[in-house]
Amino acid sequence: MAEEKKNLVGENEIPAQEKEPELEVLNTDEEEKQLEKADSKYDAENIQVLEGLEAVRKRPGMYIGTTSSAGLHHLVWEIVDNAIDEALAGYCTEVAVILNPGDTITVIDDGRGIPVDVVKKSGLSGVETVYTVLHAGGKFGEGDVYKVSGGLHGVGASVVNALSEWCEVTVNKDGGVYYVKFQDGGKTVEHLSRIGDCDSNKNGTIVTFKPDPTIFTDSTRFDYQIIRDRMRQVAYLNRGIKIIVEDRREEEVVRESFCYEGGIKEYVLFINNHKKKIFDEVIYCEGSCIPPSSDGKEARVYVEAAMQYDDGYATNIFSFCNNVHTHEGGMHETGFRDAMRRIANNYAREYKFLKDGDDDFTFDDITEGLTCVLSIKHPNPQFEGQTKTKLGNSEVRRIVSQIVGEQFNRFLLENPRLARIIMEKIITAVNARLAARKAREDIRRKGGLELNTLPGKLADCSSKNPEECELFIVEGNSAGGSAKNGRNRETQAILPLRGKILNVEKAQIKRIFANAEIGNMITAIGGGIDPEFDVSKIRYHKVVIMTDADVDGSHIRVLFMTFFYRFMRPLITNGHVYIAQPPLYKVEYHGKQYYAYNDAQLENIKTTLKLKPGHPLQRYKGLGEMDADQLWDTTMDPERRRMLRVTLNDGIKAEQIFTDLMGDNVVPRKEFINANAKFVKNLDV
Ligand code: 1YM
């Protein structure tokens, strides 16, 4: 799971080597003893409580995944989840998230307020129990309460408290104002007490905390964009809830407010905003069901799907369970696929869009150009998969299939004109698929796509172990020549490409396959292409785009990324795509060469070497200016080079960016460029 960056097709600046595994911080025996001594003054319950919170502090990764940016923001999601649960229970309409100066954050809701009376089992007030006892999410053993949010880690407020320097909770309930404060990882410094009065109809909960900088060692600064984006998403996924985000850290306060009566219907419109639609209507399905296996307990599963067709080729299914984006899919997506395939084919047979003897439409035919938000709420979600974002509950498949199937079918029957447009779109997709297959076969016949006929321009490496192999895709033949001579022949392959590749966002599938440069790249990489792309067959685990450090180079980079994003997405999501970082400057001094990759480094070199102003320096205009040795030394040698790994953090934002940047529509592209030009550091014109 990528976590570091706010911009979505982020280029995470990490060295090409694997990330160091996170070290476990364990207390020494001596510290352990001291902790025990300190604890001995608490009563039995408190010792248990503190041991629980101490366990969280010892292994934060087990509870929040990581202690980098993603983990830091996870704390916010945990507290917000409690407020959203209160809203879903029908008691809260508004949630506010406020970023304060000094790295603290406040979450406010207008729900019932966390219970303040004493809980028998813990002997503590409800608030203290929720904030100090691990997994005290439910209603203290009085039967299961329906909680939907917080599926991913779902660890609760006590974990936030354990990982905070301090944390305070104010509850307005039935005319009283109650306050409690914790410090140093969840130790109660002021027990809950009534500190004043309030309007008896002004209930609610206010939580403020400061993440512990000894735990979040990278940074404890919250990222406004990350919080804003997530809150907007939560507002879309839970219609009618108003969420306010406010940044009070700078003099100029930023405040945004999100509330969508249309919920995910509006979400789909937002995602598709700049796309050309085949018709404006959003197909919406909704329903709920108690699975037969749930032995009488109220364990209702809620299902919602909203979808819209655009005139493009991509399929985008964004699925959620309990407001968690299930990137890896799972049973709800399988149920959705079942429904779409069944209903579209039945309809096509019934109304003779498919004739006897025709093959069924495939799921890919049916969903070409479809954007779908699928959101379910489940009382007992099983999250599986590598990043725990795959929904495993098998009963969900049938439930989703039934609800979506029934309502998609009804949509087709009630809207025959739109049904015809969908059918025609699907038939176009079938024809394109057949044409693309033919084009692929043509290339293959000419010796294009087979592995045993690698492109002539490829200087392959001798190793056949993909894990250690790297493919450098190099802009221009002269740089390609230097790269071929400078490389490590055992592990590094070079594919020089001439000029710009096709913009696949705009081109027709047929032209894409007929394009020789793209054909060479597909063959070299070896995993095929969407929909059959198989990341386990790729011949290189690092595919490195090496272009000039100028505007043309950037353009070529974006073209490659668009291609990988549309046709080899797992190459990006599995972290195989890199961007080489050639130096911008060379300084020669006393026969030695110094390279600078940015202006700051150049200044640093000048100061360190005490260079007189006017000392000659070379500004690299292109890779072609470097000879083989220089290219190896500065850009290709795994021991010394810097590379950026391309990651995909937020599929929805990435989808919008690629549409805006590479699609037909000029206005959003201009808007994007205007909004982002300030992030551009070097512009060569
Ligand atoms: C800013 C964070 O935590 N709100 C919140 C939490 C709870 C309740 C209301 C609540 C729940 C219930 C009954 C119930 C919680 N209560 C508990 C527990 N906002 C925030 N607002 N009364 C109030 O679930 O029945 C846990 S969370 F366990 F005490 F009931």
Side-chain angles (χ1 to χ4, degrees):
M1 186 175 50
E3 63 211 20
E4 244 73 60
K5 271 272 168 92
K6 47 208 160 289
N7 54 333
L8 279 290
V9 183
E11 299 172 357
N12 280 355
E13 202 170 311
I14 56 162
Q17 288 89 2
E18 302 308 318
K19 264 192 169 172
E20 291 265 321
E22 249 170 53
L23 290 178
E24 238 173 41
V25 183
L26 287 173
N27 286 335
T28 62
D29 286 347
E30 194 47 42
E31 285 171 316
E32 209 87 80
K33 272 185 215 137
Q34 282 186 354
L35 279 174
E36 273 169 27
K37 224 190 279 168
D39 282 354
S40 67
K41 65 175 184 288
Y42 293 89
D43 61 20
E45 246 104 36
N46 267 322
I47 289 176
Q48 251 188 351
V49 163
L50 281 177
E51 276 175 354
L53 296 191
E54 196 50 42
V56 177
R57 292 176 63 79
K58 276 187 188 167
R59 292 181 183 75
M62 268 185 55
Y63 297 85
I64 55 165
T66 116
T67 53
S68 58
S69 169
L72 178 74
H73 291 88
H74 192 90
L75 304 182
V76 185
W77 315 152
E78 284 296 337
I79 302 300
V80 168
D81 277 350
N82 285 343
I84 297 297
D85 275 335
E86 184 67 358
L88 291 174
Y91 299 102
C92 154
T93 59
E94 213 173 291
V95 178
V97 181
I98 301 163
L99 287 72
N100 308 305
D103 289 0
T104 80
I105 194 159
T106 302
V107 184
I108 306 174
D109 74 44
D110 63 352
R112 287 168 293 178
I114 305 177
V116 292
D117 40 354
V118 172
V119 177
K120 262 203 215 119
K121 225 175 137 190
S122 67
L124 296 166
S125 68
V127 182
E128 282 169 83
T129 310
V130 172
Y131 274 77
T132 58
V133 181
L134 283 185
H135 300 297
K139 227 182 150 195
F140 320 123
E142 292 168 33
D144 288 333
V145 200
Y146 193 97
K147 293 278 175 214
V148 300
S149 50
L152 190 47
H153 293 283
V155 288
S158 57
V159 166
V160 177
N161 195 14
L163 301 177
S164 293
E165 195 177 293
W166 57 262
C167 172
E168 56 183 21
V169 184
T170 307
V171 173
N172 294 351
K173 207 172 170 70
D174 307 325
V177 180
Y178 301 83
Y179 177 85
V180 61
K181 179 153 188 176
F182 311 96
Q183 210 151 353
D184 299 327
K187 300 190 177 96
T188 314
V189 284
E190 275 180 58
H191 279 287
L192 187 85
S193 66
R194 182 166 171 149
I195 57 163
D197 303 326
C198 71
D199 229 333
S200 63
N201 54 16
K202 278 233 170 97
N203 294 341
T205 304
I206 305 165
V207 177
T208 302
F209 64 92
K210 182 179 195 310
D212 188 337
T214 66
I215 303 272
F216 300 93
T217 47
D218 290 359
S219 165
T220 53
R221 187 177 164 84
F222 293 108
D223 183 316
Y224 179 75
Q225 279 196 41
I226 291 179
I227 292 174
R228 189 267 319 271
D229 286 355
R230 172 63 183 162
M231 291 306 106
R232 180 172 51 206
Q233 180 172 69
V234 170
Y236 275 123
L237 291 170
N238 302 281
R239 65 174 164 231
I241 302 180
K242 181 173 177 185
I243 306 182
I244 297 160
V245 191
E246 200 169 291
D247 190 347
R248 296 186 183 166
R249 295 174 300 182
E250 307 293 330
E251 206 168 317
E252 193 183 333
V253 173
V254 179
R255 182 189 161 98
E256 287 175 273
S257 164
F258 308 107
C259 180
Y260 306 103
E261 292 305 333
I264 60 170
K265 258 183 279 182
E266 284 189 57
Y267 202 10
V268 166
L269 293 173
F270 168 74
I271 297 167
N272 277 354
N273 187 15
H274 294 148
K275 292 181 186 167
K276 214 157 127 199
K277 271 70 87 174
I278 61 169
F279 52 78
D280 288 334
E281 281 82 349
V282 174
I283 305 165
Y284 178 71
C285 317
E286 179 184 28
S288 73
C289 173
I290 302 177
S293 60
S294 62
D295 56 23
K297 270 194 214 154
E298 173 70 345
R300 195 170 279 277
V301 178
Y302 295 83
V303 177
E304 265 189 292
M307 35 188 168
Q308 190 180 44
Y309 279 98
D310 62 63
D311 71 344
Y313 313 110
T315 302
N316 282 298
I317 298 172
F318 302 108
S319 68
F320 299 83
C321 176
N322 297 357
N323 299 330
V324 172
H325 191 167
T326 34
H327 294 273
E328 297 170 277
M331 286 301 165
H332 50 344
E333 278 194 25
T334 310
F336 174 79
R337 297 169 80 95
D338 292 345
M340 295 302 284
R341 207 167 24 216
R342 184 177 73 247
I343 300 303
N345 277 301
N346 284 351
Y347 187 91
R349 298 267 171 218
E350 176 85 25
Y351 293 91
K352 304 284 178 262
F353 290 97
L354 279 175
K355 313 238 158 39
D356 295 346
D358 285 350
D359 284 342
D360 269 3
F361 299 143
T362 67
F363 177 76
D364 292 328
D365 297 331
I366 296 162
T367 58
E368 197 172 287
L370 187 74
T371 294
C372 170
V373 174
L374 173 64
S375 170
I376 78 157
K377 306 261 163 71
H378 196 291
N380 181 28
Q382 308 295 317
F383 289 103
E384 301 172 347
Q386 269 199 333
T387 56
K388 291 270 176 285
T389 56
K390 182 175 181 180
L391 186 67
N393 305 64
S394 59
E395 79 283 3
V396 165
R397 177 173 179 174
R398 227 201 65 250
I399 296 174
V400 174
S401 169
Q402 199 174 333
I403 290 170
V404 172
E406 203 172 277
Q407 296 184 44
F408 180 44
N409 193 39
R410 181 184 311 163
F411 179 90
L412 295 175
L413 294 177
E414 287 177 353
N415 300 280
R417 187 182 64 85
L418 305 182
R420 168 171 289 277
I421 297 175
I422 295 175
M423 287 295 140
E424 282 165 359
K425 164 102 184 157
I426 297 173
I427 290 165
T428 311
V430 172
N431 292 336
R433 171 165 59 89
L434 298 178
R437 181 192 289 168
K438 189 172 170 305
R440 261 201 306 261
E441 277 163 6
D442 288 350
I443 297 176
R444 198 168 289 158
R445 252 190 294 110
K446 283 188 256 154
L449 282 177
E450 289 303 328
L451 289 187
N452 50 13
T453 52
L454 288 165
K457 296 168 78 180
L458 175 75
D460 208 4
C461 51
S462 57
S463 165
K464 294 288 167 248
N465 174 9
E467 278 179 32
E468 62 174 12
C469 292
E470 306 178 341
L471 174 67
F472 283 80
I473 299 174
V474 186
E475 173 185 0
N477 285 333
S478 76
S482 299
K484 278 181 193 176
N485 292 327
R487 69 189 168 131
N488 171 347
R489 283 166 190 271
E490 196 181 324
T491 57
Q492 296 181 322
I494 309 295
L495 181 66
L497 291 184
R498 196 166 21 92
K500 302 220 162 129
I501 66 163
L502 198 66
N503 179 358
V504 296
E505 194 73 13
K506 288 185 193 164
Q508 273 192 314
I509 301 271
K510 257 195 287 190
R511 277 191 57 213
I512 293 171
F513 285 107
N515 183 280
E517 304 283 291
I518 288 183
N520 284 342
M521 190 162 62
I522 298 169
T523 315
I525 292 172
I529 191 169
D530 195 59
E532 290 119 31
F533 181 73
D534 183 351
V535 75
S536 71
K537 294 220 173 81
I538 58 172
R539 302 173 60 246
Y540 315 90
H541 275 205
K542 295 199 173 88
V543 175
V544 187
I545 305 170
M546 189 153 84
T547 60
D548 290 340
D550 60 10
V551 175
D552 271 351
S554 306
H555 188 206
I556 294 169
R557 247 179 0 240
V558 176
L559 290 170
F560 277 118
M561 300 238 261
T562 310
F563 176 78
F564 292 142
Y565 179 76
R566 291 289 179 218
F567 293 98
M568 299 184 180
R569 196 169 301 179
L571 203 64
I572 298 181
T573 50
N574 290 21
H576 296 302
V577 179
Y578 294 81
I579 294 170
Q581 296 286 288
L584 288 178
Y585 305 101
K586 183 178 79 174
V587 179
E588 292 220 350
Y589 185 69
H590 288 317
K592 273 184 88 176
Q593 288 145 356
Y594 299 86
Y595 296 99
Y597 295 82
N598 53 46
D599 291 319
Q601 277 183 5
L602 179 66
E603 286 315 309
N604 199 355
I605 291 169
K606 282 181 178 169
T607 331
T608 321
L609 299 179
K610 300 196 176 66
L611 294 185
K612 293 174 202 73
H615 184 90
L617 106 138
Q618 185 177 358
R619 162 107 173 77
Y620 285 117
K621 282 268 187 287
L623 294 165
E625 292 173 34
M626 274 184 270
D627 64 25
D629 287 342
Q630 287 173 336
L631 204 54
W632 166 257
D633 288 347
T634 61
T635 316
M636 295 175 70
D637 177 2
E639 299 291 321
R640 285 177 287 173
R641 71 185 177 199
R642 288 154 38 99
M643 298 204 296
L644 299 178
R645 181 189 252 172
V646 179
T647 63
L648 186 73
N649 290 5
D650 177 340
I652 292 174
K653 204 156 185 180
E655 182 60 33
Q656 290 177 317
I657 291 174
F658 277 113
T659 307
D660 284 1
L661 217 47
M662 308 306 284
D664 295 319
N665 216 335
V666 182
V667 178
R669 176 157 49 248
K670 285 203 170 142
E671 282 171 3
F672 180 89
I673 291 169
N674 283 336
N676 289 280
K678 56 176 182 277
F679 299 120
V680 177
K681 291 203 194 75
N682 294 299
L683 190 63
D684 253 355
V685 260

